[in-house]
Amino acid sequence: MKGVVFDLVGTLAHFRKPDTTATQMTYPFITPTAVKGMVGAILGKEDFVTHDIVGIRLMNPVQIVSQQMSMLGKDTGSSFNRPTTIELLINPHYRIYYAGEENVDELSTYLQKEYSVYPTFLGVAYAVTKPKLISVWNQVALAVNEAYGYIETKAVVPSALVGELKVTRGQHYCRAGGFMYCYKGARTFEKSIDFIYEWAGNMIAFKPAKKKLSLNLQIAKFGEDVVCLY
Amino acid sequence: MLAESVIRIGRPIMQSDLSLEERIRLLTDVSSISCKNYFQNVIVAELGKDTDTVHYLTIGMFDGDQKSFQVDARRNVSFPITFPNGGNPLVPQGVYALPCYLMWEPHLKKMMNAEAFAQEILLPRLNSTIGYRELMQEEREKLALRISNLLAENTQRFLREEKQLGILLVFDSRLAVYKIKEQLASEPSDLWIADSLCISDSALYLDGEEFLNQFITAKMDEAASLGKAQNAVSTFSNQVSTEVVSIYNKSWLWLSPTWEMPCSNDWGKTDWIKGIKVDAENYAAFLYGSQFLKEIQVPLSNSLLKEMFAPIMSVEAKKHMKTTSFQPIYGIPLVVPLLDGDSKQNFKKYRHMLKNQQHLSQTDLHMEVLAGMKGSIIPQFSDEHRLTILYYSGDLSRGDMHIRAIIEDIVPSIASKIQSILWKIKNYECGSIQDEFGVQRQPLYKTETLPSLLANAFGPGYVWNVLQKVFHRQSLEMKHLFQATEKKLNELVNKEDYWGMKQELIFFYVFMLFYKLYNEQIRNVKGGVKDLADWKKIIEQYYSGELKDEDFNSLENLGFISGMLLKQFSHSYYMKTNKDFVKQRVMKFGSKLTPVMIWQQGVLRCQELADQWDLKLGVNFWGVLPLVLLGFLSANEKKTLVSEKNVFMTAFWSGYLLYRKPKNDNDSDGTEESIKGGSN
C-alpha cells in the first residue's frame, strides 16, 4: 500500500453535521468523506468514489465558535434571508495520511506540482485551503495490533478500534460520533464511524479491541507516525 | 452527529425494565401539561357486533377551586395521544398507532353533522391509522360514517356551549391493540379503558405491549415518507437491515427538513434515505432518547438570562435592561460513554435525572450551578462518560430552533470540581470578601452560577466560549475582566457611588478567587493573579511600615499601595479642608482618572500639601511615599502606566476602598466614618 501525507491549513472550516437542519453544527475536525472529496477535487474527478483509506491528525487544538449569519433564501420563494446559527472551526490544521493503490501516485504528483483541478476548501466555499505536500511513501506498513500492547498515535482513532484507553493526566479525550463513513457515489452515503481524539492533538495510547469490525479499519506506520486509517 | 448521541442515550432506556405505563408516558404526550384539558372530554366509540355505544368519560377531576383540572395519572395511559409538533393541528398529522385522536373545538362541534365529520375529520385520520391500513377505502368510508352517525346521535351527552377540547377513541375489537375481557381478568399489559356497554360483565382494554409495537411502526412509517429502503445498511449499526428509513422526521424536530438544506440538489422528495438511514431498533432507541431529552430540557430563568446577556461595560445600561428583554433559551444535558457500548447502569442514572427533585446529593452535578438549568440534576457518572450541554432558543414545537451553543466532552469529575469551587465561594468566601469591604453579607446572585459568573466577568459575547474553556480546563484571559471593572469603577466614581464601586470590586475578587482555585485545582497552575488574601499581607505590611522595594515590583502592587496611600492622605486632608482630596485635587471636574493623574496630581503633591496644611500623617505614610514615587518612575519608564492602566486602576480602587484607619493610629485626627465617601 502506497501513501502520501499532506497538510491542510486554514483560518476557518465547517464540516456540517448532516442531522442538524435549522442550526448548522460542525464536526470537530475534517471528516473522512470530506478528505476524499478534496482528493477528488485536486484530481478533477467528479463524484469521486475510491477504496483508498485516510487517516487524520489534529495539528492545532479544536476551537469552535458559534456565529449567527444571514443566509440567503429559504428556497426559490420570496423569503430573502434567514438568520441561521452556524458553528465554525477556528484555525484548523490537519495532517492527512492518504493510502491505497488507486490514487496515491496521481495525488502525489499533483501535490508536488501544487496543482489542483478544482478549488479546495475546508467544508464550505468561504474556507479555502491549499494542500501542502509533506511526504510520499512507496510502502506503508501495517502495524498489526502489536501483540495487543498499547498503540500510541497522534492521529484520531476510530472508537471501534479502542478496547482500552490509557488515560494520561492533563489530556482531554473527546468523542466525535456519527461521521458518514463511505461515499457510494450519486450523493449516497453508507455506514458511520465514531472517533476518539485528544482535544489538542496530543498522543493517544490504546489497546486495540479484540472484536470483529464492520468497517475496514487499519493501523499503519508512515515512518515513525502510527496512524489509524479508515 | 446529534442523532448518534440521542440513540446512545435512548438504547439503555429502551432496553431497561421500564414499566409499560412509564414507556407510554415517555413516548406519548399523555402526561404533557399542554394536553391535560383534553382529558376532560374523552369520548369512546365502542363498536360492538350488534350495537354500537358511546362512553363519555372524564379522566381526572377538578381541584377544589374548580379552576385547575388534574388528570388521573393511572388511567391516562389508556388513551395514548400524541400532540402534533408544528403545522396545523386541525388536520391529521403523521401516522396514528391506534384510533385515538385529539379533538379541538371545531372537531367537536362538527360532530353534530355526521356526514361532514366523517368526510372531513374522521376519514383522513382513519386513513392514517396503522390498524386500518389494510381495509379498502370503501370500508374505511363506511366505518367513518358509522362512527360519525353514532356520535351525532349522542352529542347532547357531551357537547356544551362553552369551548371544549377532547379525545376520541374508537374501540374496534378487530384491532390488535384492543382486548375485551371479563372484568378483573386483565394481565399486566392490559390497560383498562372502561367497562363495556355492549357486552355485560366485560371490560375494554388497551394492549400496552401491542400499542408500543404499533407506535414504533407508526413512527417508522412517518419517517419512511422521506425515503425507505429494503435490505440496506443502517447508518448507526453498520449492519444490513431488512428495512431502513430516513432519520429526518417530525419526531425530533431538530431534524425536521424545514428547508431544503442539507438535502442534496440531486435528491428527490423521498431520496433522503441516501443520507442517514436507520433500522427499526435504532429508530426506537432514537425515539426513546429524543423523548427523554424533551423531558429533561429546562428553560434558563429570565434573571439568569439578564446576567448572561446584559452589557457589562456599563452599570447604568445593565440596570435598565428588563429581564424580559431576552429570547428564552433552553438547556439540555446529555451524558454518554466515551468509548463504544452502553452501560446498563446508565438507565438508572437517566431515571434519576427524570426524578431530579428527590434526594439531592453532593455527588450529583447540579446543573443550575454549572449551567444555569434550574432543577436539572446529573447523577454521578464516572470519567468514562462525557457530558454535553446543549443550549437552544426558538420554538421546538414549530421546528424553528437555533442551537446557541453545544459544549461537548465535559469530563464529569472536572464538572464536579468546578461545582465544589462555586459552592465554596458561595457558602464561605463571598461573605468574607463582603466583610473586607465593610458591606453587609448578602447573597450575590451573579456569582452563584457559572454562566452568570463568567458572563459578568467576560461579557455577553464571550459567554459560550468561556464556558467551554472552563469545562475543558483551558486557560482564561483576564484582560476583559480588568477592562470592564476599570470602566465600571470610573463610571461609578464620577457619580460618587462608592457602594456600587465596592459591589463591583466584590464581584471582581470573587471572580479572582474562582480563577485562582480553578487554576490550582483544575489546571494545576499556581499563581498568576492576586486575590484578596494576597492583598491582606500587603495591607498589614503597609500599616506596619514594613513594605520593601520588592513589594513594588508589579504594577498591580503599585496601584494597590498608591490607593491606600492616597486614602490615608485623604483622611487627613479632609479633616483639615473638609474636601475630598481625590475628587477635588486629582480627578478635577469628573474627569476619567488615569494612573498618570494619580501619580502627578496625587502622589507627587502629597508632600507639598502636607506641609501647606500641616497634615498629621502616620509614620508609615512617610515610609511608603518615596517607595511609591520610585515605583511610578520605574513604571513610567517601562510605559506600563498606559499599557496596563486597567490593571493599575482596578488595584488602585481596591487599595483605596480597602484601607481602614488603624485603631492605634493617633497621628491623624480623622475617623473613617467621618470621611465623605469613605464607606457606604
Side-chain angles (χ1 to χ4, degrees):
Chain A
M1 189 165 62
K2 296 175 182 176
V4 57
V5 182
F6 58 97
D7 271 10
L8 300 173
V9 186
T11 51
L12 284 179
H14 173 83
F15 304 101
R16 184 162 178 183
K17 292 180 177 176
D19 60 341
T20 56
T21 54
T23 298
Q24 304 185 7
M25 289 166 64
T26 180
Y27 288 106
F29 48 85
I30 192 168
T31 64
T33 47
V35 171
K36 290 178 186 175
M38 187 179 289
V39 171
I42 294 167
L43 303 179
K45 295 180 180 177
E46 291 186 23
D47 207 22
F48 180 63
V49 177
T50 179
H51 292 100
D52 291 342
I53 48 181
V54 300
I56 299 163
R57 177 179 162 193
L58 308 180
M59 303 298 285
N60 275 352
V62 175
Q63 286 186 73
I64 300 178
V65 296
S66 287
Q67 187 83 34
Q68 187 138 62
M69 295 176 76
S70 185
M71 307 290 272
L72 279 179
K74 182 176 179 181
D75 44 36
T76 52
S78 57
S79 314
F80 180 68
N81 62 36
R82 183 183 179 91
T84 304
T85 309
I86 183 167
E87 280 188 340
L88 296 169
L89 291 159
I90 306 300
N91 295 327
H93 182 180
Y94 309 115
R95 179 150 296 168
I96 305 299
Y97 300 84
Y98 188 93
E101 301 296 346
E102 293 176 5
N103 302 286
V104 170
D105 290 338
E106 198 179 358
L107 178 62
S108 306
T109 309
Y110 274 63
L111 289 172
Q112 272 165 354
K113 291 179 181 173
E114 299 185 1
Y115 181 75
S116 171
V117 176
Y118 295 113
T120 48
F121 46 83
L122 294 168
V124 279
Y126 48 81
V128 179
T129 186
K130 183 183 172 188
K132 184 185 171 196
L133 180 67
I134 301 296
S135 58
V136 179
W137 301 85
N138 286 324
Q139 186 61 46
V140 175
L142 292 179
V144 188
N145 289 354
E146 308 228 336
Y148 293 114
Y150 281 107
I151 288 178
E152 292 188 336
T153 176
K154 286 191 171 180
V156 301
V157 180
S159 62
L161 273 179
V162 181
E164 184 187 325
L165 184 70
K166 185 177 178 183
V167 176
T168 304
R169 191 184 162 96
Q171 296 204 357
H172 192 155
Y173 303 99
C174 305
R175 179 187 176 89
F179 287 67
M180 302 307 279
Y181 174 70
C182 175
Y183 181 62
K184 308 274 287 180
R187 309 297 300 170
T188 305
F189 296 87
E190 196 173 84
K191 299 186 179 177
S192 64
I193 182 169
D194 311 319
F195 291 103
I196 304 295
Y197 66 101
E198 206 284 329
W199 168 79
N202 291 319
M203 192 74 80
I204 297 175
F206 68 98
K207 279 185 181 175
K210 298 172 186 175
K211 64 181 179 186
K212 195 182 172 191
L213 302 172
S214 56
L215 304 173
N216 176 25
L217 308 176
Q218 307 283 351
I219 301 169
K221 280 186 174 176
F222 289 71
E224 292 299 308
D225 294 351
V226 177
V227 181
C228 299
L229 299 171
Y230 22 87
Chain B
M1 259 193 278
L2 255 180
E4 188 251 357
S5 297
V6 175
I7 288 172
R8 295 185 79 208
I9 286 171
R11 198 178 293 127
I13 301 174
M14 182 181 75
Q15 293 170 349
S16 70
D17 57 356
L18 204 66
S19 73
L20 205 59
E21 284 87 349
E22 284 175 303
R23 283 171 192 270
I24 294 174
R25 229 176 273 290
L26 182 66
L27 291 175
T28 68
D29 292 312
V30 292
S31 296
S32 166
I33 193 78
S34 56
C35 289
K36 67 174 187 175
N37 288 329
Y38 293 84
F39 285 93
Q40 289 181 36
N41 303 291
V42 177
I43 302 153
V44 179
E46 183 183 351
L47 307 183
K49 282 184 183 170
D50 306 316
T51 55
D52 301 335
T53 53
V54 168
H55 304 244
Y56 175 58
L57 310 169
T58 299
I59 309 297
M61 58 194 299
F62 280 95
D63 281 346
D65 57 4
Q66 295 293 306
K67 283 183 182 169
S68 177
F69 182 75
Q70 297 297 325
V71 180
D72 183 344
R74 290 170 305 169
R75 287 192 66 191
N76 61 355
V77 287
S78 304
F79 306 90
I81 47 169
T82 301
F83 197 80
N85 285 319
N88 180 2
L90 299 181
V91 298
Q93 292 198 16
V95 179
Y96 298 90
L98 80 170
C100 181
Y101 314 117
L102 284 174
M103 293 279 116
W104 276 261
E105 170 77 0
H107 298 151
L108 290 165
K109 292 288 181 280
K110 200 152 256 179
M111 282 182 184
M112 288 188 285
N113 183 342
E115 202 160 311
F117 184 77
Q119 279 302 316
E120 295 169 26
I121 295 161
L122 195 53
L123 184 60
R125 283 167 176 74
L126 293 179
N127 287 341
S128 303
T129 304
I130 292 279
Y132 292 126
R133 286 270 177 91
E134 304 302 317
L135 293 184
M136 303 288 285
Q137 183 63 16
E138 288 169 10
E139 290 178 276
R140 284 197 291 259
E141 285 173 11
K142 274 186 193 172
L143 180 66
L145 200 56
R146 177 181 165 191
I147 298 165
S148 299
N149 283 330
L150 175 67
L151 295 171
E153 288 165 16
N154 289 278
T155 49
Q156 75 284 357
R157 287 175 56 197
F158 51 81
L159 281 193
R160 290 191 292 277
E161 285 286 315
E162 65 265 30
K163 190 181 172 189
Q164 284 179 284
L165 297 168
I167 295 169
L168 171 63
L169 183 138
V170 178
F171 189 93
D172 186 340
S173 56
R174 291 176 298 172
L175 299 179
V177 287
Y178 294 130
K179 285 179 182 174
I180 299 179
K181 286 189 171 180
E182 284 183 16
Q183 287 170 354
L184 306 176
S186 62
E187 295 166 22
S189 67
D190 297 336
L191 304 170
W192 181 66
I193 297 171
D195 288 340
S196 173
L197 296 177
C198 296
I199 306 167
S200 57
D201 298 328
S202 295
L204 314 180
Y205 291 98
L206 175 73
D207 183 337
E209 278 183 13
E210 182 60 25
F211 164 73
L212 286 174
N213 294 335
Q214 299 274 28
F215 183 83
I216 302 294
T217 307
K219 293 297 169 191
M220 286 279 284
D221 277 12
E222 275 179 22
S225 64
L226 286 175
K228 66 176 176 180
Q230 268 73 38
N231 299 317
V233 178
S234 168
T235 300
F236 298 103
S237 69
N238 290 336
Q239 304 293 333
V240 175
S241 185
T242 49
E243 185 179 50
V244 291
V245 293
S246 155
I247 200 166
Y248 300 99
N249 66 83
K250 295 190 76 174
S251 311
W252 181 239
L253 277 175
W254 297 10
L255 307 184
S256 67
T258 53
W259 61 323
E260 298 301 318
M261 300 292 184
C263 175
S264 159
N265 285 339
D266 300 333
W267 289 359
K269 288 253 177 199
T270 57
D271 282 344
W272 291 70
I273 192 72
K274 290 181 178 179
I276 310 165
K277 36 196 166 277
V278 265
D279 56 293
E281 189 187 339
N282 278 299
Y283 195 82
F286 180 69
L287 283 175
Y288 275 97
S290 58
Q291 289 298 114
F292 170 76
L293 294 179
K294 275 192 211 169
E295 289 283 315
I296 60 167
Q297 70 173 4
V298 178
L300 271 58
S301 70
N302 284 343
S303 47
L304 176 63
L305 289 175
K306 180 179 172 182
E307 292 299 336
M308 288 172 75
F309 297 110
I312 63 155
M313 288 292 192
S314 165
V315 179
E316 201 64 23
K318 182 171 180 180
K319 199 186 288 178
H320 285 98
M321 289 222 78
K322 292 179 182 168
T323 51
T324 51
S325 307
F326 305 93
Q327 198 180 10
I329 294 181
Y330 299 84
I332 301 181
L334 297 82
V335 184
V336 287
L338 176 64
L339 300 181
D340 287 358
D342 303 315
S343 160
K344 286 184 179 175
Q345 294 299 314
N346 284 355
F347 167 67
K348 286 180 184 168
K349 294 184 174 179
Y350 291 150
R351 189 173 221 172
H352 186 58
M353 288 165 76
L354 279 174
K355 296 177 179 176
N356 52 29
Q357 275 79 25
Q358 301 167 7
H359 311 303
L360 295 184
S361 143
Q362 290 283 323
T363 55
D364 293 342
L365 295 180
H366 294 231
M367 297 307 286
E368 183 176 7
V369 175
L370 291 168
M373 293 149 63
K374 193 167 187 177
S376 180
I377 298 292
I378 302 285
Q380 191 178 25
F381 280 91
S382 71
D383 280 355
E384 289 166 2
H385 294 76
R386 290 292 181 269
L387 165 67
T388 296
I389 305 171
L390 199 152
Y391 293 98
Y392 78 90
S393 59
D395 187 351
L396 188 55
S397 66
R398 291 195 294 128
D400 173 29
M401 54 79 62
H402 300 270
I403 292 175
R404 291 295 193 95
I406 177 159
I407 301 167
E408 295 179 287
D409 297 303
I410 301 168
V411 181
S413 65
I414 300 294
S416 180
K417 281 183 188 173
I418 294 170
Q419 178 173 277
S420 301
I421 292 173
L422 289 167
W423 268 340
K424 183 181 175 191
I425 289 173
K426 181 187 170 189
N427 295 330
Y428 305 108
E429 305 293 348
C430 203
S432 308
I433 293 172
Q434 287 172 330
D435 289 346
E436 291 298 326
F437 280 93
V439 171
Q440 191 181 357
R441 284 191 180 208
Q442 58 186 359
L444 208 56
Y445 180 70
K446 60 184 172 183
T447 64
E448 288 180 0
T449 67
L450 187 62
S452 160
L453 182 73
L454 297 175
N456 275 289
F458 294 92
Y462 299 90
V463 179
W464 306 124
N465 185 258
V466 182
L467 201 55
Q468 175 153 310
K469 279 188 172 181
V470 169
F471 281 126
H472 289 181
R473 291 185 288 182
Q474 293 169 27
S475 64
L476 303 176
E477 275 193 38
M478 302 298 284
K479 66 177 182 182
H480 290 103
L481 177 63
F482 282 105
Q483 266 176 7
T485 308
E486 190 261 334
K487 205 166 180 182
K488 283 186 282 190
L489 290 172
N490 196 65
E491 177 191 343
L492 291 165
V493 75
N494 278 322
K495 291 192 282 185
E496 297 182 46
D497 182 357
Y498 291 96
W499 184 86
M501 290 174 77
K502 287 183 178 182
Q503 292 298 326
E504 290 303 330
L505 285 171
I506 288 167
F507 173 78
F508 178 82
Y509 284 107
V510 169
F511 190 85
M512 280 296 168
L513 181 62
F514 167 79
Y515 182 74
K516 190 174 187 176
L517 295 173
Y518 167 74
N519 275 337
E520 284 176 4
Q521 296 180 15
I522 293 171
R523 299 190 64 238
N524 297 318
V525 176
K526 296 218 168 180
V529 292
K530 284 198 164 55
D531 66 0
L532 219 45
D534 297 317
W535 290 137
K536 276 185 185 171
K537 287 180 203 158
I538 297 279
I539 290 170
E540 281 167 20
Q541 285 173 296
Y542 180 89
Y543 290 149
S544 59
E546 290 172 2
L547 287 171
K548 297 188 178 76
D549 284 351
E550 55 266 30
D551 293 320
F552 292 81
N553 57 7
S554 77
L555 193 71
E556 217 173 349
N557 280 13
L558 179 64
F560 188 83
I561 296 165
S562 50
M564 294 188 73
L565 188 85
L566 283 199
K567 184 63 176 290
Q568 187 179 4
F569 186 81
S570 293
H571 282 184
S572 300
Y573 186 82
Y574 184 81
M575 294 313 298
K576 287 280 184 183
T577 65
N578 213 27
K579 286 180 180 169
D580 185 316
F581 174 67
V582 171
K583 188 183 164 195
Q584 297 295 324
R585 291 279 188 165
V586 186
M587 289 183 71
K588 289 185 180 173
F589 312 113
S591 59
K592 189 177 176 186
L593 194 61
T594 63
V596 175
M597 288 163 74
I598 290 167
W599 174 32
Q600 293 180 349
Q601 288 157 37
V603 181
L604 264 177
R605 301 205 59 199
C606 285
Q607 174 81 59
E608 172 200 342
L609 289 168
D611 292 345
Q612 184 183 335
W613 290 95
D614 192 22
L615 301 182
K616 289 178 181 174
L617 288 154
V619 178
N620 67 325
F621 181 89
W622 299 112
V624 173
L625 183 61
L627 294 174
V628 170
L629 287 168
L630 285 172
F632 271 110
L633 281 173
S634 168
N636 190 46
E637 274 176 24
K638 293 177 195 163
K639 296 183 178 170
T640 49
L641 288 178
V642 175
S643 63
E644 294 179 35
K645 77 175 172 87
N646 300 322
V647 175
F648 179 94
M649 289 309 301
T650 308
F652 171 81
W653 286 119
S654 304
Y656 190 84
L657 293 170
L658 280 170
Y659 177 83
R660 299 279 177 279
K661 180 181 166 297
K663 284 177 184 169
N664 59 354
D665 186 356
N666 297 317
D667 293 333
S668 64
D669 49 4
T671 60
E672 205 220 338
E673 286 70 29
S674 69
I675 304 298
K676 187 183 175 187
S679 70
N680 58 332

